[in-house]
Amino acid sequence: VMWCFSQVKGAIDEDVAEADIISTVEFNYSGELLATGDKGGRVVIFQHEQESKNRPHLRGEYNVYSTFQSHEPEFDYLKSLEIEEKINKIRWLPQQNAAHFLLSTNDKTIKLWKISERDKRAEGYNLKDEDGRLRDPFRITSLRVPVLMPMDLMVEASPRRIFANAHTYHINSISVNSDHETYLSADDLRINLWHLEITDRSFNIVDIKPANMEELTEVITAAECHPHQCNVFVYSSSKGTIRLCDMRAAALCDRHSKFFEEPEDPSSRSFFSEIISSISDVKFSHSGRYMMTRDYLSVKVWDLNMENRPVETYQVHEYLRSKLCSLYENDCIFDKFECCWNGSDSAIMTGSYNNFFRMFDRNTRRDITLEASRESSKPRATLKPRKVSTGGKRKKDEISVDSLDFNKKILHTAWHPKDNVIAVAATNNLYIFQDKIN
Amino acid sequence: MIMKGQKRKFPPEDVEVSDRCSPTWESQRQFVFSVSLSKYQRGQELPEPSLRRSVLIANTLRQISLEACRAPCVEREMSPCSSSSALQGKERESAFSEVTAAKHHSAVGFTNSHPALGSCPVPSSNYLSNCATNRCPASYHLNTSDVPLSVGDEDEDWGSMSTDPDFSLSAAISSILTALDSTIDGSPQAALRTPLRSLENLSRPSEGSMAGVKQGVRGYGGSWEQHQQQEEEEECRMRESNMEAMRSSYLSDLTVEDLFQDIDTSLLERDMGVLGFRGSGGGYPAGDDLLRYLPPFSPSSSTSSHPFSLSLNQNLKCLPSFSTFSPLSSSSCSSPSLSLQPSSPFSGQNHVREGLELEHLMEILVES
């Protein structure tokens, strides 16, 4: 697959407003819509335009469909804390009617948004004037029935449900269940199961908070529902373990059904072994047979039937292993990278530093490093593979480890569910790349 | 890629050294230890620390302490565990429980006002128990029996995260710092150290104790004879708190007068009378007066047997050093039940160091 540039969204200037930093990216089930959330609490939804009939060999573009303020900054008066409005995750619901639904969450509150189109307007009301004022009753001499007239398309977003006050700690994941009725939300210590219709209560299904907080050594970092089995979900921890739970087994799933952990390689042990083993993202494959986890230096693919080790391990930026001390100092070691599958589960993608992102083909075992930058942003320009030189002589076009910009990190990426179209969030810019169609 | 304000003591080799016997490993370990400690503390000062980050840093601290105990090729007196006797371990544990008992009271007081603190784990229990058992790191038995549970843990949805004061962190950090002292100071100075006393392991104040002391300080009254014990306790806690106060913004809430309100001025009054200085009635001179009175510290004054300077020395000895975590200066802060001993042996070197620290402290207090 040859990847080429398609579009970039977002401001160009070097001065990045903190509120514009993209914090989550997600395609919907059909790939028609692409949602992004940012630190300012806003959600921007892009829609895929139909390919133009004149040039069918080009994929259509994504254009802004709707923008709305999902979360506002809040103040917790009880704890004297400000609750950030940053959108941590967006998850789409499967489409059931003309409207689209998505869940968006910040640290504490989850909201269900309905995005609907309005392209008709009723005109000719009996009792009202066109501007809405009530007509003088004496002037009404005959009955008239309103008629629907076309109007400019208007996309409205309205909050339909607000799921609040269920999380003491910061929400890191939400995941819609395959039954399309429930979803789970996970914070550092607990996972709750919600019904989409019920906002005033949720079931707590996992609680790893110890009786004495001083004994706390592990937190939940990500959670996801199984794509087909509505009773199964997984959650990952800061110690590099994944637990698969079956909700049929017990009401409280503190005891896992499966426990996935790779034994540590003693030769690579360092002071930072635990920190780099912390899993930042977990994603089931579309097939439901595998799951993928991202820790600081690698991506691992696990077979759900084998708990003692992953079936595949891909090194994302192994050249950073010798730099862990510096990365610990500047806090980069705590960055949480996400990962994603392609539609057919044959390839996986994740981000790195210097606006690099990596893709691994599971079949051919080939990998590629690409860069999201304005320089390589000519329309339909093929992206040039990048390489980081690990030592010794630096070849031409290679970049040395010390020249990497650790402020330019790609934490959020998304892959279209069907086509080879990817969305890559680089700080405040959203890049859309697609494969070259001949 | 260094953070702002972070000074590197040892330039860390970027390649991780796995050989424990090499000095590079040790320097790396110390470096990571100090970085971790400052990260942890800085993270705790934030209004809402990230739990994941705090847990990871605390686990790293714990692991580093563990590796220090486990290090096989220790030639000099590096590891605190190797030098620790069972006595020290016992002392630590008793100090730990005393301190936590003391802090528990203050923790109760402040729960409502400082909610977002200390929901994070500490390396304390494991570290202490490991060192006490002298390099038996395999089992992590927790020293929880001595630790009073945090207040308000039952009402979890309301403030579970907020009502877990990390009072044991202070003890942990102090003991960790003691370990750091012994490693960083190296052998020549280590030989000069006074034998470790439980005093050394007294906690660094958490924000909780600071606020608790605030309440204590403001509400305190009465003659010193009746409340001498309490007074010393308050005073020392206050002194410790100053350390944290420097780093947090709490100092802005306190006036110099508040800080000096609980000084054991009985001796001071007597001495001031001797020297012709009149206090402003009530037996508690204003803070400014006291400051003015403080004699300039120089090596020569250290040898003076002036009664005031000696008692003041002891009163102010409780103040930990700001520049380095020197064991000598932090050594004498008493736990609540210990009384100040005028006859404790101090070499001239101690006085000099304390003198410099005292000046430094005074500068900071006055500036604030």
Side-chain angles (χ1 to χ4, degrees), chain A residues 14-243:
Chain A
E14 288 297 312
D15 242 350
V16 179
E18 175 120 358
D20 293 336
I21 296 176
I22 299 171
S23 50
T24 184
V25 185
E26 187 82 356
F27 280 98
N28 75 338
Y29 280 77
S30 63
E32 182 206 353
L33 297 177
L34 173 62
T36 62
D38 64 21
K39 269 193 161 184
R42 290 166 302 199
V43 172
V44 180
I45 302 177
F46 301 91
Q47 185 188 39
H48 187 237
E49 301 292 344
Q50 292 300 323
E51 288 89 0
S52 67
K53 294 195 177 67
N54 312 338
R55 309 160 92 177
H57 58 283
L58 285 178
R59 290 190 205 278
E61 285 194 338
Y62 281 86
N63 296 320
V64 178
Y65 180 63
S66 172
T67 304
F68 56 93
Q69 185 77 31
S70 171
H71 287 72
E72 299 272 3
E74 278 174 54
F75 196 76
D76 182 338
Y77 294 97
L78 233 39
K79 298 183 191 173
S80 294
L81 293 172
E82 198 174 283
I83 299 171
E84 266 188 39
E85 67 273 30
K86 171 169 79 95
I87 308 292
N88 291 336
K89 282 286 177 334
I90 289 176
R91 289 289 182 262
W92 289 93
L93 264 57
Q95 192 174 8
Q96 286 169 334
N97 51 35
H100 299 275
F101 289 86
L102 61 80
L103 286 168
S104 72
T105 183
N106 68 350
D107 284 338
K108 298 285 184 178
T109 306
I110 306 139
K111 295 189 184 181
L112 177 70
W113 287 88
K114 175 180 178 184
I115 297 104
S116 49
E117 292 182 5
R118 186 194 293 266
D119 61 356
K120 294 182 188 54
R121 183 179 56 216
E123 284 178 18
Y125 281 94
N126 197 39
L127 298 173
K128 282 193 295 187
D129 275 340
E130 286 317 309
D131 52 6
R133 283 183 308 174
L134 290 174
R135 286 171 74 195
D136 189 3
F138 293 106
R139 313 257 310 278
I140 303 174
T141 53
S142 61
L143 182 71
R144 79 181 177 186
V145 177
V147 177
L148 288 175
M149 304 293 290
M151 60 178 261
D152 290 338
L153 177 65
M154 195 166 73
V155 181
E156 298 170 323
S158 57
R160 304 305 280 184
R161 306 270 187 276
I162 297 182
F163 305 91
N165 300 324
H167 285 280
T168 311
Y169 303 96
H170 292 180
I171 298 175
N172 53 52
S173 313
I174 47 174
S175 180
V176 182
N177 209 348
S178 54
D179 60 10
H180 303 165
E181 281 185 357
T182 57
Y183 73 95
L184 63 75
S185 60
D187 66 29
D188 292 320
L189 297 179
R190 298 191 179 101
I191 301 180
N192 293 333
L193 185 72
W194 300 83
H195 192 282
L196 284 165
E197 300 289 331
I198 300 169
T199 58
D200 62 353
R201 76 197 82 158
S202 66
F203 286 109
N204 174 249
I205 52 178
V206 172
D207 188 341
I208 65 167
K209 183 180 178 196
N212 185 357
M213 278 295 275
E214 291 172 15
E215 295 167 25
L216 181 66
T217 56
E218 196 173 9
V219 298
I220 297 171
T221 52
E224 202 183 35
C225 291
H226 192 278
H228 309 309
Q229 296 168 33
C230 58
N231 53 297
V232 172
F233 66 95
V234 293
Y235 67 94
S236 61
S237 82
S238 57
K239 282 197 167 170
T241 64
I242 308 103
R243 289 169 176 82

Side-chain angles (χ1 to χ4, degrees), chain A residues 76-84 107-108 165-170 188-190 207 209-221 238-239 266-267 269-280 321-336 401-402 404 406, chain B residues 1-3 6 8 12-16 18 20 25 28-29 31-32 35-37 39 47-53 55-57 59-60 62-64 67 96 112-113 115-116 118-122 124-126 142 144 147-150 153 156-162 164-169:
Chain A
D76 182 338
Y77 294 97
L78 233 39
K79 298 183 191 173
S80 294
L81 293 172
E82 198 174 283
I83 299 171
E84 266 188 39
D107 284 338
K108 298 285 184 178
N165 300 324
H167 285 280
T168 311
Y169 303 96
H170 292 180
D188 292 320
L189 297 179
R190 298 191 179 101
D207 188 341
K209 183 180 178 196
N212 185 357
M213 278 295 275
E214 291 172 15
E215 295 167 25
L216 181 66
T217 56
E218 196 173 9
V219 298
I220 297 171
T221 52
S238 57
K239 282 197 167 170
S267 64
R269 178 154 181 77
S270 75
F271 299 120
F272 310 107
S273 293
E274 183 175 318
I275 299 184
I276 62 169
S277 73
S278 171
I279 292 175
S280 51
R321 192 180 286 274
S322 56
K323 307 283 178 192
L324 290 179
C325 203
S326 311
L327 293 165
Y328 180 60
E329 263 191 290
N330 64 12
D331 276 355
C332 282
I333 209 172
F334 297 107
D335 287 336
K336 303 211 306 183
V401 184
D402 298 311
L404 294 174
F406 288 88
Chain B
M1 288 192 270
I2 309 174
M3 290 182 74
Q6 177 82 36
R8 281 187 174 182
E13 315 245 322
D14 270 340
V15 180
E16 295 263 351
S18 49
R20 289 221 178 92
W25 182 85
Q28 271 187 6
R29 192 191 69 81
F31 179 75
V32 175
V35 168
S36 304
L37 201 57
K39 268 190 195 302
E48 208 173 6
S50 155
L51 194 60
R52 170 183 167 261
R53 192 191 139 93
V55 166
L56 288 173
I57 295 172
N59 288 349
T60 306
R62 194 184 286 126
Q63 187 210 327
I64 290 177
E67 303 223 342
F96 182 63
N112 289 326
S113 57
S119 58
C120 297
V122 290
S124 60
S125 330
N126 294 334
L142 294 169
T144 51
V147 179
L149 279 179
S150 53
D153 209 6
E156 60 177 20
D157 278 336
W158 172 74
S160 57
M161 182 163 152
S162 59
D164 292 331
D166 56 340
F167 38 76
S168 54
L169 168 66

